[in-house]
Amino acid sequence: MIGRINEIFSSIQGEGIYFGRKQVFVRFSGCNLACGYCDTEFESFQEYDSESLLKKIQSYGPDFSCVSFTGGEPLGQKDFLKELIRLVKENGYQTYLETNGTMPDALNEVIDAVDIVAMDIKLPSSSGFADDCWKQHYDFLNIAKAKDVFVKAVVGSRTSIEDFLKMLDLFKSLDYHGVLVIQPNSLESAERLVDNLALFKRLCADYLIPSCVIPQLHKLIGVR
């Protein structure tokens, strides 16, 4: 089976609660969404079979233990991901899935081989979508919460309180009390977001949801 891969590289994780951890990143080409703040290009890609891709991963040497499957959206190529992620896990690596959290059926097919799920919640007022993804997010988190999962939500000056509260209600309905990473939109100046970030932190505390504000740290320190 062949997969379309945008790039493979070794770096430190720059987003979420595992920031600073060295990983090999396998960036899948293509995505089922088009967020207004997306910073990934998909025009170019290389094709790999799973064995060749495993050898490429292993070529980065022994000083890492975790492989991040990112994108784009890795679950958009779920058959190839299912084959690859099992092969990677069988070879002793921890598996880390970065996902937009909108493809629950695909997640259900690969979840057994996933160690960590870094799941996005796409708030409509942040992403610019006319249609929301709440039903997909609910079904996705209901599957993902069986594993080590944290949720990330990008927020900006236009992010509505209504959207944020709807996300917290979704957590409550699923009895999810994991960490919520509030990620400031990197395309906006931090000064414009201060009041929103403080408000959203207070709302999380009211709902007893542990939260932290973490920007895209790899951009701040100048690494990939």
Side-chain angles (χ1 to χ4, degrees):
M1 188 175 296
I2 299 298
R4 300 182 306 278
I5 304 300
N6 186 255
E7 59 179 339
I8 308 168
F9 60 97
S10 175
S11 186
I12 61 171
Q13 178 58 247
E15 297 184 356
I17 61 175
Y18 288 89
F19 67 86
R21 184 174 186 180
K22 186 169 183 180
Q23 296 178 329
V24 167
F25 295 80
V26 180
R27 185 179 301 283
F28 282 62
S29 180
C31 187
N32 60 314
L33 301 179
C35 300
Y37 47 74
C38 183
D39 58 0
T40 304
E41 298 293 336
F42 301 113
E43 282 80 6
S44 62
F45 60 82
Q46 288 185 271
E47 293 186 336
Y48 289 87
D49 61 57
S50 57
E51 292 284 351
S52 297
L53 194 47
L54 174 64
K55 290 178 181 178
K56 179 69 174 178
I57 291 168
Q58 292 172 326
S59 73
Y60 287 97
D63 59 340
F64 74 95
S65 60
C66 186
V67 178
S68 173
F69 303 93
T70 185
E73 176 49 59
L75 290 169
Q77 300 182 58
K78 58 101 175 170
D79 291 331
F80 179 71
L81 176 64
K82 184 176 181 179
E83 181 178 290
L84 175 64
I85 203 168
R86 291 187 183 280
L87 185 61
V88 167
K89 189 169 179 62
E90 287 169 1
N91 278 269
Y93 297 104
Q94 190 175 43
T95 56
Y96 183 106
L97 177 64
E98 299 191 61
T99 171
N100 63 32
T102 64
M103 304 182 73
D105 291 341
L107 176 68
N108 201 43
E109 291 196 33
V110 305
I111 190 65
D112 288 348
V114 177
D115 294 311
I116 301 168
V117 181
M119 173 190 173
D120 280 6
I121 293 282
K122 300 298 185 181
L123 303 176
S125 53
S126 295
S127 63
F129 296 150
D131 298 322
D132 63 58
C133 303
W134 296 116
K135 177 61 167 62
Q136 296 97 310
H137 286 326
Y138 179 94
D139 293 342
F140 196 98
L141 184 55
N142 196 35
I143 297 167
K145 69 178 185 176
K147 294 299 183 88
D148 181 358
V149 58
F150 71 90
V151 174
K152 171 170 64 71
V154 174
V155 302
S157 57
R158 296 183 180 180
T159 302
S160 70
I161 297 174
E162 291 77 15
D163 280 351
F164 202 87
L165 287 173
K166 193 163 187 176
M167 174 176 61
L168 297 181
D169 285 333
L170 183 151
F171 294 160
K172 185 177 181 180
S173 69
L174 287 169
D175 197 28
Y176 172 76
H177 293 280
V179 175
L180 170 64
V181 174
I182 304 170
Q183 181 174 296
N185 186 343
S186 62
L187 299 178
E188 298 187 35
S189 63
E191 292 79 7
R192 295 178 61 189
L193 303 182
V194 171
D195 291 342
N196 261 6
L197 294 173
L199 171 60
F200 294 152
K201 283 282 292 179
R202 290 197 299 272
L203 293 175
C204 289
D206 291 343
Y207 274 72
L208 303 179
I209 296 294
S211 66
C212 50
V213 176
I214 305 178
Q216 291 180 297
L217 294 173
H218 56 291
K219 293 184 177 180
L220 295 179
I221 64 176
V223 299
R224 295 177 72 184

